[in-house]
Amino acid sequence: MNNLEIRIYTYPPIPLADITPLEKLILTHVLECSETEAGLVLFTDVGPINPIRVKRQALLDAFGASAQHADSALNAFVGNRILALLPTSPDGNDVASEIDLSEFPWQFIVHDIVARSPSLAEVTVIQWMNHPSQRLESYGASVSLITGKGIHHATSEDLLNRFRLQNRALVPAVSPPALLDGAPSVAPRSFTVGEMETALCIWEAMLYFRGLHEDHRSVPDGVIRMSELWDATGWLAMRNHVLAIVPLAEQAYTALSDALEEGGFTFDFDFIPAVVGALDWSEYGPHREGEPEEFLETVMASVEGRRRDVAAEAVASENLIAQKS
């Protein structure tokens, strides 16, 4: 979309001592950067530039000065993909080279710096975009957390969907009746029989996965984060998180019910464990990563994979019994 306004702000500044000459050269061409006493501040009010144009000699000098960092991903990218293709000028003039960073975005460079830095634990990135038309699809935001372990990213739509999921689990606001002594009473939330059955199945699956994790069995990454949250917040908090999963599970079952029934899969032993295993967890509770269609595909693949694993175990048990008899 033409005339798209993009602004990016990062924090904290990156210590200059942690940045190689090559990393600084590329970052200052991609973003509007400012050197301060605290370090290099990465920002832009016009959006990241790609491709970038860099003078041939400046690139060669920066690459040579950064050679001591042999494990640098940027060194490897430039050395393997860029240097061999640098143009030369027949009259000896220094010419500008165009570098396409589509396969190596600037966030990869920052990740490499943070992973190597002795003092920098993380860099946060906030990006905002807008179009003069103000159409619904033309504005939004995103946040990223870049650490030495990885790059974590969420768009404003991801966060809004997470908030909507949390909101559905909240008790509706009502005016509580007064007791005889004038003290307010809290009106309990009403559940349908189906919602109660779903909640019990979810709790059973959470207990099952927690037991597997405590026994050091293989579990999805989301279950590991669930267990860590469980240890940090306690059992009461985890039971409350079940409420946030109920609407998500019921929506997924509505979408997959035909395929589940056709395959002979059960709601409690096949479907619900797949839903719980496909969720991701944060300090705020459970949430679905990615688009709804991707989540449904993950759940269905888990259901089918679980069935194959059970069948394989049954065959192995029968073979073992046959060998002993």
Side-chain angles (χ1 to χ4, degrees):
M1 182 178 294
N2 295 330
N3 301 322
L4 189 64
E5 301 171 2
I6 298 178
R7 296 181 179 180
I8 297 175
Y9 302 99
T10 69
Y11 184 85
I14 301 176
L16 294 174
D18 295 341
I19 310 174
T20 70
L22 183 59
E23 290 166 341
K24 183 178 179 181
L25 178 68
I26 299 300
L27 288 174
T28 53
H29 277 75
V30 175
L31 304 171
E32 300 175 76
C33 301
S34 174
E35 286 192 28
T36 67
E37 292 184 358
L40 187 67
V41 179
L42 308 180
F43 74 95
T44 178
D45 289 330
V46 297
I49 304 300
N50 186 50
I52 60 174
R53 293 183 63 81
V54 182
K55 289 289 187 177
R56 182 178 188 275
Q57 193 58 50
L59 182 62
L60 292 173
D61 291 344
F63 181 79
S66 306
Q68 58 179 324
H69 297 281
D71 58 343
S72 167
L74 180 60
N75 280 17
F77 174 77
V78 172
N80 297 332
R81 306 284 293 274
I82 306 301
L83 294 185
L85 303 178
L86 287 180
T88 57
S89 174
D91 53 11
N93 293 331
D94 193 9
V95 296
S97 306
E98 187 173 279
I99 302 177
D100 185 358
L101 295 173
S102 300
E103 298 181 12
F104 200 92
W106 65 269
Q107 292 91 338
F108 286 13
I109 302 175
V110 176
H111 164 64
D112 220 23
I113 295 172
V114 176
R116 194 175 60 241
S117 172
S119 60
L120 192 62
E122 64 180 40
V123 171
T124 58
V125 182
I126 299 178
Q127 176 172 312
W128 172 84
M129 67 176 186
N130 184 46
H131 188 268
S133 67
Q134 291 293 307
R135 294 201 303 268
L136 180 62
E137 71 278 8
S138 71
Y139 65 88
S142 67
V143 293
S144 300
L145 176 67
I146 304 177
T147 70
K149 296 180 179 180
I151 302 174
H152 311 275
H153 179 77
T155 66
S156 53
E157 187 61 28
D158 294 332
L159 297 175
L160 288 172
N161 287 334
R162 186 180 304 177
F163 296 154
R164 293 182 184 112
L165 180 61
Q166 294 172 357
N167 184 69
R168 285 197 294 269
L170 295 177
V171 177
V174 296
S175 299
L179 298 179
L180 294 178
D181 59 1
S185 65
V186 178
R189 178 183 173 183
S190 298
F191 293 89
T192 66
V193 173
E195 287 176 330
M196 289 295 296
E197 291 178 345
T198 299
L200 290 172
C201 291
I202 291 170
W203 181 242
E204 184 178 13
M206 290 169 60
L207 291 172
Y208 167 75
F209 279 122
R210 177 174 170 82
L212 290 181
H213 182 251
E214 289 182 338
D215 291 340
H216 305 289
R217 304 273 295 276
S218 176
V219 295
D221 292 340
V223 170
I224 297 176
R225 287 186 284 274
M226 179 194 76
S227 297
E228 293 172 347
L229 182 65
W230 204 315
D231 293 335
T233 61
W235 290 69
L236 177 59
M238 296 306 293
R239 284 194 291 268
N240 289 334
H241 285 315
V242 171
L243 302 178
I245 305 177
V246 169
L248 180 62
E250 294 194 336
Q251 291 170 11
Y253 186 75
T254 299
L256 298 174
S257 58
D258 291 342
L260 292 168
E261 292 177 6
E262 183 178 348
F265 299 111
T266 62
F267 179 83
D268 48 358
F269 292 114
D270 294 318
F271 170 71
I272 289 296
V275 170
V276 174
L279 292 173
D280 200 1
W281 291 75
S282 68
E283 60 182 311
Y284 305 106
H287 58 273
R288 182 197 66 214
E289 286 289 351
E291 298 298 325
E293 295 77 10
E294 297 175 353
F295 180 75
L296 295 177
E297 292 176 359
T298 300
V299 170
M300 200 63 205
S302 178
V303 169
E304 294 170 343
R306 180 181 174 88
R307 174 65 60 85
R308 288 192 296 269
D309 292 341
V310 171
E313 290 178 3
V315 172
S317 298
E318 291 177 358
N319 292 339
L320 183 62
I321 293 173
Q323 291 174 2
K324 292 182 177 180
S325 60

